[in-house]
Amino acid sequence: MGLKHPKYKVAVIQSAPAFLDLDASIDKTITLIKEAANNGASLVAFPETFIPGYPWHIWLDSPAWSMGKGYTSRYFDNSLAYNSPEADRLRAAVKEVGITAVLGLSERYEGSLYIAQWILNPEGETVSTRRKLRATFCERTVYGEGDGSDLAVHDLPGLGRVGALCCWEHLQPLSKYAMFAQNEQVHIAAWPSFSTYQPTAYALGGEVNTAAARIYAVEGGCFVLSPCATVSQEMIDQLCDTPNKHELIQTGGGYARIYGPDGRDLATPLSPEEEGILYADIDLAAIPMAKAAADPIGHYSRPDVTRLLFNPHKAQRIEYVQQADTEIQNISLVTVPNRDES
């Protein structure tokens, strides 16, 4: 009979977030999850930090301005904690429609924030939570960082081996190779929008970054689902309090795509200003066809020449040493988890 390859429909979101409003963000995310499921999708992918939106204020002025205008505190308060009623609403919505969802969020954990992606299975259970390995440029004024455990690929029943990265993680060759090395078949490449500093900063625009997602598909011999947010006029009205800020960020910037393992577009793109969902039927049988020519971790690799040193373990922030009286009688190391994944 031979090997059977999964075939199914995928959905990729291109939409403006409910900016800086956690409850409205959950409402909008649930609406899009239900729409994707009602249209027959088995997997739906969301943009980077769709909940509660990307912190564009950090690109428009100083950290002091962000603090004084209340953006810093508002962003923290409206970010998502996994052990919260808002997260429970998302779990319930995914379970109700029976879809696998890869969500993009600003994760709030204790006193810190992280750029995160959360994979929920059709039962509404957590497959994984991951954090962007290194926040990019201005993002480091807001977010902490992940560790090697966040470069992970997951075997999902009926869907194949699924992994996810955010934004300019797709410009980091070693991180990409760590994903390829885990036989990734379906990759979610999440982006926030491409409407900032245009056209001055060409590398921040849609052409370069959609190219990065396309090349990921070809290099890895995998399908790439590339959700991308847009910037709404409502967001511009909130963010731009001086004329020069209007020159730094514009509406639109949506460049969602779905790529096959040979790099071709599998869905007709929306216009950069348009909100909607891209759909494509994918057949994982296309992957061995692509890898017959170039398998980056198999016959097309040269481990005798170049190899990757990869630490996939979680970084433990604290190790407690228990001490009795003045002499150490028993020493036990207690692991303190980095996040609540309940």
Side-chain angles (χ1 to χ4, degrees):
M1 291 184 57
L3 182 64
K4 292 185 177 181
H5 300 277
K7 301 178 183 179
Y8 56 95
K9 180 178 284 188
V10 297
V12 169
I13 304 299
Q14 177 171 306
S15 179
F19 190 57
L20 292 181
D21 188 329
L22 179 56
D23 289 332
S25 291
I26 302 302
D27 291 342
K28 188 162 190 175
T29 300
I30 289 173
T31 297
L32 291 166
I33 287 171
K34 291 182 176 180
E35 181 179 344
N38 289 338
N39 283 303
S42 298
L43 173 63
V44 59
F46 282 81
E48 182 182 47
T49 61
F50 190 70
I51 302 171
Y54 185 83
W56 292 113
H57 48 275
I58 64 178
W59 296 84
L60 301 180
D61 213 313
S62 68
W65 175 81
S66 293
M67 292 178 182
K69 286 288 186 177
Y71 287 116
T72 301
S73 57
R74 284 177 62 197
Y75 198 77
F76 182 87
D77 292 344
N78 285 277
S79 292
L80 181 69
Y82 291 123
N83 60 341
S84 66
E86 294 85 2
D88 289 340
R89 289 183 60 203
L90 291 167
R91 293 184 181 95
V94 169
K95 182 177 181 180
E96 178 185 346
V97 297
I99 195 172
T100 295
V102 184
L103 305 178
L105 60 132
S106 171
E107 176 200 349
R108 187 179 74 247
Y109 179 72
E110 297 181 343
S112 293
L113 299 178
Y114 301 89
I115 296 174
Q117 289 166 291
W118 184 17
I119 303 178
L120 290 166
N121 69 16
E123 289 73 44
E125 300 166 339
T126 295
V127 173
S128 75
T129 59
R130 73 169 303 270
R131 294 169 176 169
K132 190 173 182 180
L133 197 62
R134 170 74 75 181
T136 304
F137 196 35
C138 300
E139 293 172 357
R140 292 197 282 273
T141 65
V142 177
Y143 301 108
E145 60 189 24
D147 55 40
S149 68
D150 295 306
L151 296 177
V153 175
H154 310 278
D155 201 352
L156 303 186
L159 302 182
R161 294 187 57 76
V162 178
L165 296 175
C166 278
C167 201
W168 271 14
E169 289 186 301
H170 297 90
L171 301 189
Q172 296 180 318
L174 301 184
S175 295
K176 293 194 296 181
Y177 197 78
M179 301 293 284
F180 300 157
Q182 297 172 68
N183 190 30
E184 188 178 31
Q185 295 174 305
V186 180
H187 176 76
I188 288 79
W191 306 89
S193 173
F194 304 117
S195 64
T196 310
Y197 295 6
Q198 296 302 301
T200 306
Y202 185 75
L204 300 179
E207 188 170 13
V208 168
N209 293 286
T210 53
R214 190 191 298 269
I215 288 298
Y216 191 103
V218 176
E219 285 182 335
C222 61
F223 290 91
V224 170
L225 318 184
S226 189
C228 185
T230 62
V231 173
S232 67
Q233 185 59 50
E234 180 182 9
M235 294 168 63
I236 296 291
D237 293 342
Q238 285 191 59
L239 290 163
C240 298
D241 58 357
T242 60
N244 72 301
K245 289 186 175 67
H246 285 278
E247 297 176 3
L248 297 176
I249 186 169
Q250 292 83 41
T251 57
Y255 286 81
R257 298 289 190 273
I258 302 175
Y259 295 117
D262 59 358
R264 76 180 68 190
D265 277 299
L266 299 182
T268 302
L270 302 169
S271 68
E273 298 78 24
E274 188 176 356
E275 295 191 55
I277 304 178
L278 299 185
Y279 295 96
D281 293 307
I282 66 172
D283 182 353
L284 270 57
I287 292 175
M289 292 291 292
K291 288 190 172 182
D295 182 355
I297 60 167
H299 65 80
Y300 205 54
S301 66
R302 284 293 305 272
D304 57 317
V305 179
T306 55
R307 284 181 287 176
L308 171 65
L309 178 63
F310 175 33
N311 175 10
H313 301 295
K314 285 187 178 181
Q316 303 304 331
R317 306 299 184 188
I318 303 174
E319 293 182 344
Y320 288 105
V321 178
Q322 297 179 346
Q323 184 171 339
D325 298 327
T326 57
E327 295 182 358
I328 298 177
Q329 296 179 352
N330 294 297
I331 298 178
S332 63
L333 299 181
V334 181
T335 297
V336 178
N338 285 331
R339 68 201 77 171
D340 185 346
E341 298 177 356
S342 61

